[in-house]
Amino acid sequence: MTKQLPPLFRDKMIDLLGEDEFERFLASYDQARSYGLRVNTSKITKADFLDKSPFTLEPVPWASEGFYYEEGERPGKHPYYHAGLYYIQEPSAMAPVELLQVQPGEKVLDLCAAPGGKSTQIAAKLQGEGVLVVNDNHSDRVKALVKNLELFGVRNAVVLNERPERMMNVFQGYFDKILIDAPCSGEGMFRKEEDMMQQWERHSVQEFAAMQRELLGQAAQMLAPGGTIVYSTCTFSPEENEAQIAEFLDKHPAFDVVPIDRFDHGQPDWLRAPWCEENYSPQAREAVAGTARLWPHRLRGEGHYVAVLRSGVGADAGVGGRAEVGESVRAEVGESVRASAGAGRSGRDALRGKGRAGTESRVSLEPLQAFEDELLRSEPFAALRLVCYGEHAYASPAGLPELHGLKVVRPGWYIGALHRGRFEPSHALAMGLRLREAKRALSLASSDERALRYLKGETLEVAESEIIRDPEVTKAAKGYCLVCIDEHPVGWGKWIDGMLKNEYPPGWRWT
């Protein structure tokens, strides 16, 4: 592996690290990399997961829900993965969201979100409260982002496929926390993904630095006074790391670096020729020492850089204050759409036809109301706003500004389709529910061979006695039921006369 490192990269790292440190750094490329997973605490507590886990786990020191697992274990080939109980994630990649210190109820933006690992980490910390906006400007990457959010059962996320400059007016001064996991040259991933070396040789560090500079300035405009930005990369180049932060601080004097003590410090001495400009202020140079570097030869993880930036009250971020909250959500979902009469109303009020708002409805919400009455024990939409785009119903987080003109992939939790007088529940709805919220359910043990057969899309034989229901509430076993594995939802099924018709989506099936 070491012989394959690009010669220009080797020379640069020798110059930055010195000969002795470089030898230790170089040796890490011939060492086995570490593997990690992160528990989804919005679905299961860490203690309960450890009791159930079939894997050999060791805590990741810097991630409260993160664990190392042993090479050779296959957590992606276990029913718990399909239940969204954990996300498989490189251990160092867990650090940025930990440093963002997300609290329930906050408004958080993941600006460069695909494929969604850090978005799901933020969502778990929000615990279903507040607003999570996730964005990626590459349309081909957004599908993976949506799937991971649905797998994790996230209820309060909005998914955008937009250029950040188009988001600035809509979200001016709106977010409490912003994560910029910036596009970068990927030098820290060379050991994990060898094809990153070929990409490094095709794309210049300067090309990424220009993008990163713009992202930082754009994020500052969307941050509320007193808010926090975490900037991270998976590269070693100071042009993409310390230089970006130093330049940002000189242009945005109301921001400060929040020092990080857990990892190795940033390198002010690397702000020099031939790699960087040398005209940064003494204050900015000193401040970058409070940023952090994660080195593969000094911890069990790949290479990362992280900086925590906090704006003061009255900062230049978010000039003009918080965005006004709209009465309804309007967006472009491929083409212009109109919200239903349920827009702007929460939970049961929308279903009961109360508090009319929004534009003329194209669809009746009565089938959705009937589904809720028959299948849902609690009201999972209570704190959300029901909106319809064509036949598709969503539960959108309250407190969003108008999204008019933005490319919205998901305006909220996708509930299902209202089609020809009936309601077809979505897989996302099943994944976002809890067993206790369903009036009719089936829970298979992970050791039951039918669990794997369900995930493969097969029809199952299920006795009526196995259908979990409250006879006082739901007398009939026939119809939709929430299918669970060890009491954790994995999808829908339709039970009738001892058979369970499989509603598990073809694109999600076990292969």
Side-chain angles (χ1 to χ4, degrees):
M1 167 60 133
T2 56
K3 294 179 181 179
Q4 299 172 6
L5 290 174
L8 290 176
F9 172 73
R10 289 171 61 100
D11 293 344
K12 181 176 185 177
M13 296 308 296
I14 291 171
D15 179 73
L16 293 171
L17 293 172
E19 290 283 355
D20 292 342
E21 182 77 7
F22 176 75
E23 289 302 318
R24 291 189 288 272
F25 169 75
L26 193 62
S28 70
Y29 285 88
D30 291 323
Q31 298 167 0
R33 71 179 186 89
S34 296
Y35 298 84
L37 62 80
R38 196 190 67 254
V39 180
N40 181 4
T41 52
S42 63
K43 288 196 173 192
I44 188 171
T45 67
K46 186 165 63 171
D48 285 347
F49 178 76
L50 291 175
D51 285 341
K52 291 184 174 186
S53 171
F55 312 117
T56 303
L57 301 176
E58 182 182 345
V60 174
W62 53 85
S64 54
E65 290 85 35
F67 294 90
Y68 296 103
Y69 66 87
E70 293 184 352
E71 185 176 5
E73 292 185 303
R74 303 180 70 191
K77 288 291 187 180
H78 193 281
Y80 291 164
Y81 175 80
H82 291 262
L85 299 192
Y86 51 83
Y87 186 89
I88 299 169
Q89 188 173 32
E90 194 281 312
S92 292
M94 302 177 190
V97 173
E98 290 291 325
L99 293 168
L100 192 59
Q101 297 186 331
V102 173
Q103 300 298 317
E106 291 183 323
K107 299 179 179 71
V108 185
L109 169 64
D110 188 352
L111 188 56
C112 311
K118 295 178 178 66
S119 298
T120 60
Q121 190 175 3
I122 293 169
K125 292 184 180 300
L126 286 173
Q127 288 292 301
E129 301 176 26
V131 178
L132 172 59
V133 176
V134 302
N135 177 71
D136 203 280
N137 66 352
H138 295 285
S139 58
D140 56 337
R141 290 167 53 87
V142 170
K143 288 182 180 179
L145 174 59
V146 169
K147 183 174 181 178
N148 282 320
L149 289 169
E150 291 185 353
L151 183 64
F152 242 55
V154 179
R155 298 182 178 188
N156 59 329
V158 173
V159 182
L160 304 180
N161 172 213
E162 196 52 271
R163 300 192 307 274
E165 61 267 25
R166 285 173 50 84
M167 299 169 57
M168 288 167 53
N169 288 337
V170 173
F171 293 108
Q172 187 88 355
Y174 177 80
F175 294 104
D176 303 302
K177 305 280 174 67
I178 297 177
L179 174 67
I180 309 172
D181 188 36
C184 68
S185 57
E187 296 164 352
M189 295 293 108
F190 284 179
R191 179 172 63 174
K192 179 186 174 188
E193 302 174 29
E194 293 190 31
D195 64 336
M196 293 296 295
M197 288 185 283
Q198 282 72 45
Q199 295 184 35
W200 186 87
E201 292 178 322
R202 289 198 303 269
H203 301 284
S204 70
V205 168
Q206 288 72 26
E207 178 183 345
F208 287 107
M211 287 189 284
Q212 294 153 358
R213 188 176 301 113
E214 289 186 357
L215 288 170
L216 276 162
Q218 291 157 350
Q221 293 298 314
M222 292 186 277
L223 189 71
T228 301
I229 295 173
V230 164
Y231 172 85
S232 65
T233 72
C234 57
T235 198
F236 303 117
S237 292
E239 305 97 302
E240 301 178 67
N241 295 328
E242 288 89 350
Q244 292 297 327
I245 300 306
E247 182 177 338
F248 178 83
L249 293 173
D250 282 339
K251 290 181 177 178
H252 301 81
F255 278 82
D256 295 308
V257 168
V258 179
I260 303 168
D261 296 324
R262 182 182 291 272
F263 305 107
D264 286 306
H265 291 259
Q267 298 288 332
D269 293 343
W270 291 0
L271 296 173
R272 58 174 174 81
W275 315 116
C276 303
E277 300 289 338
E278 298 185 355
N279 57 348
Y280 307 108
S281 69
Q283 294 85 357
R285 286 178 171 274
E286 181 180 355
V288 299
T291 64
R293 282 182 169 270
L294 285 69
W295 292 100
H297 62 298
R298 294 187 177 182
L299 49 72
R300 291 177 62 188
E302 304 306 311
H304 271 69
Y305 175 85
V306 190
V308 181
L309 302 163
R310 185 165 296 158
S311 73
V313 176
D316 56 349
V319 176
R322 290 183 180 270
E324 293 297 320
V325 176
E327 290 299 318
S328 62
V329 178
R330 296 197 305 272
E332 295 176 359
V333 187
E335 59 182 18
S336 297
V337 294
R338 293 195 296 170
S340 78
R345 291 175 282 139
S346 63
R348 191 169 294 273
D349 282 351
L351 294 180
R352 301 302 181 194
K354 300 176 181 177
R356 295 183 63 83
T359 62
E360 180 184 356
S361 177
R362 290 183 175 181
V363 294
S364 169
L365 292 174
E366 289 182 3
L368 175 54
Q369 175 186 322
F371 178 86
E372 180 188 14
D373 290 341
E374 180 184 357
L375 265 294
L376 301 182
R377 190 182 303 276
S378 65
E379 190 178 343
F381 318 129
L384 304 169
R385 298 183 302 166
L386 288 174
V387 294
C388 286
Y389 296 127
E391 298 178 337
H392 300 284
Y394 299 85
S396 183
L400 279 172
E402 290 267 358
L403 303 181
H404 182 66
L406 297 181
K407 294 179 182 177
V408 181
V409 179
R410 288 284 189 274
W413 183 18
Y414 180 41
I415 303 303
L418 294 147
H419 184 66
R420 295 183 179 178
R422 65 181 188 275
F423 175 71
E424 298 174 359
S426 71
H427 188 65
L429 174 60
M431 297 304 293
L433 291 172
R434 307 294 178 264
L435 174 60
R436 65 180 179 273
E437 294 176 318
K439 293 179 182 177
R440 192 161 56 227
L442 168 69
S443 185
L444 301 169
S446 56
S447 57
D448 188 330
E449 54 91 19
R450 292 177 300 174
L452 183 55
R453 287 177 54 208
Y454 174 80
L455 295 173
K456 290 181 176 180
E458 298 179 18
T459 298
L460 306 180
E461 293 184 7
V462 175
E464 183 173 359
S465 60
E466 295 182 273
I467 302 299
I468 303 167
R469 67 189 193 280
D470 183 347
E472 296 302 317
V473 178
T474 305
K475 293 183 172 60
K478 178 182 176 181
Y480 278 109
C481 68
L482 184 66
V483 181
C484 305
I485 295 177
D486 289 345
E487 301 186 349
H488 299 286
V490 290
W492 296 108
K494 280 184 180 178
W495 186 90
I496 183 170
D497 296 334
M499 303 299 293
L500 185 80
K501 179 184 176 183
N502 200 310
E503 297 288 322
Y504 199 66
W508 290 56
R509 290 177 185 171
W510 186 296
T511 56

